[in-house]
Amino acid sequence: MFLKKYALSLLTAALALLLCLSAGAEGAASGAGQDNNLPMVRARVTEVLSDEVVTTEYSGGQMQNRILRMKVTLLEGAFEGEVIEVTQSFDEIGMASSYPAKAGDRLFVGLDLDDGGELRGYCADYVRDVPIYLMAAGFGLFLLLFGRWKGFKTLVSLFLTGAAVFVFFFPAVIRGASPVWCAALCCVFSTVVTLLLVCGWNRKALAAAVGCTGGLAVAGGLTALFGYWMRISGIVDEEAAFLMFISDEFTLDFKGILLAASIIGALGATMDVSVSIASSLAEIQEKAPDITPRELVRSGVVIGRDIMGTMANTLVLAYVGGSIHIVLLLYAYPVAWANIINRETVAAQVLLTLSGSMGMFCSIPITALFTAALSYAKGRKTREAGQNPPPDGDGAPEM
């Protein structure tokens, strides 16, 4: 009763603690990322001065680059309002699928000073935040229209989960904190927040939380065990190699980062399955209050079998979609299957996919068993209360 009454207060305190921890991490990360160069700023293209293809000869042949010279107006920063000349270049590989800038386009421009102190710049990338924000707003609108109050609570839980990952996890790991412990804190926080908002404080939420936690523990354990067996270093791509040089004070734990990726990557599917099983069994129990714990577990397993196929496809296709360029590159060249499957990049993706899927599968019986245990405990308490009625003959015994 105490926990139920003060659940919102506990949740608020947990969020405050998370944000306090992340504040220090974010400050450290931002301080580490500063350099002596001038910042990148938004700019608008006012005029394209030239657009030409430049051919460069070298010993093995020739290489072509498309180079655009343009005038842009700086839209922010200390030099706001100034008009400077910048260049945009595309190499031979990206030339066919590129989007050359035209008047009116908004770009990110990197600024620098030449030897004479004159301001110069180069085109870094396009400004894409407006369509991203519009898509995010459309996503939120769909949730509110179709989900109504549930949709609103889903948005809140999604916002808090995103804050836990992007405001706490990443800055803390960059600062040198343990990726595994940070991932565990994020998952606990996200699970508690989501289940409190979506399911409320009840036995169904508790069973789903236990099932989700058990599934994530299985996923993390399998990743650690088979990652050691397969000798996965954690430095599985070019981005991971760049992270080796972000600080002179510490070295990132790449094996821990891989384990954290397994836990966080499996969180959504595992929580989805656990909530589905817990909700289904709660509904069965409500419609058939005389059902035995054994029958309840059997029903949970039967329901879980139908969920397994689609959720396994969800995880597998998500990981394949995230590494589609690597897969295409391997298929483009005649490489033996043994060489493909033994590459660390491929092996790491297979490890994450299978460990996450197995963790999700294990959450099904764990949720069903814990739901049955809660049902048995509730039934025994009800029987004991019936055998020992209160002295006045009516009402429930005091809690």
Side-chain angles (χ1 to χ4, degrees), residues 94-291:
M95 196 182 302
S97 59
S98 61
Y99 290 92
K102 58 183 183 298
D105 285 350
R106 290 175 176 257
L107 310 172
F108 272 109
V109 172
L111 301 179
D112 201 356
L113 297 174
D114 60 18
D115 295 336
E118 293 291 330
L119 186 66
R120 63 182 183 182
Y122 63 92
C123 175
D125 213 334
Y126 286 94
V127 176
R128 301 184 176 94
D129 51 4
V130 173
I132 289 175
Y133 294 148
L134 286 175
M135 287 190 66
F139 170 73
L141 184 61
F142 276 118
L143 274 180
L144 293 176
L145 289 176
F146 290 101
R148 298 185 182 181
W149 178 238
K150 284 281 188 180
F152 174 76
K153 291 192 289 187
T154 301
L155 279 177
V156 173
S157 69
L158 181 61
F159 172 79
L160 294 176
T161 299
V165 174
F166 291 98
V167 181
F168 169 70
F169 175 78
F170 288 119
V173 172
I174 289 296
R175 188 181 58 177
S178 168
V180 178
W181 283 110
C182 289
L185 285 175
C186 285
C187 289
V188 169
F189 179 80
S190 176
T191 301
V192 172
V193 167
T194 303
L195 294 179
L196 279 179
L197 288 172
V198 175
C199 300
W201 189 271
N202 49 41
R203 291 183 177 86
K204 177 174 65 177
L206 181 59
V210 171
C212 179
T213 303
L216 292 178
V218 170
L222 289 174
T223 302
L225 175 62
F226 283 87
Y228 173 77
W229 192 2
M230 292 190 291
R231 300 297 189 265
I232 302 294
S233 67
I235 308 174
V236 297
D237 51 27
E238 186 177 340
E239 288 77 13
F242 288 152
L243 287 173
M244 296 178 63
F245 308 103
I246 63 171
S247 176
D248 297 328
E249 300 178 0
F250 60 86
T251 302
L252 289 178
D253 180 8
F254 290 98
K255 296 176 184 176
I257 292 175
L258 185 68
L259 180 54
S262 171
I263 296 172
I264 294 177
L267 174 61
T270 306
M271 190 186 306
D272 187 10
V273 169
S274 300
V275 171
S276 298
I277 298 297
S279 297
S280 300
L281 295 185
E283 185 69 18
I284 291 174
Q285 194 173 13
E286 182 179 348
K287 301 300 183 184
D290 295 332
I291 189 172

Side-chain angles (χ1 to χ4, degrees), residues 58-75:
Y58 63 97
S59 57
Q62 61 182 18
M63 179 177 61
Q64 292 185 332
N65 290 320
R66 183 177 181 178
I67 300 177
L68 287 80
R69 291 174 49 250
M70 64 193 79
K71 287 185 178 181
V72 300
T73 302
L74 303 182
L75 303 177

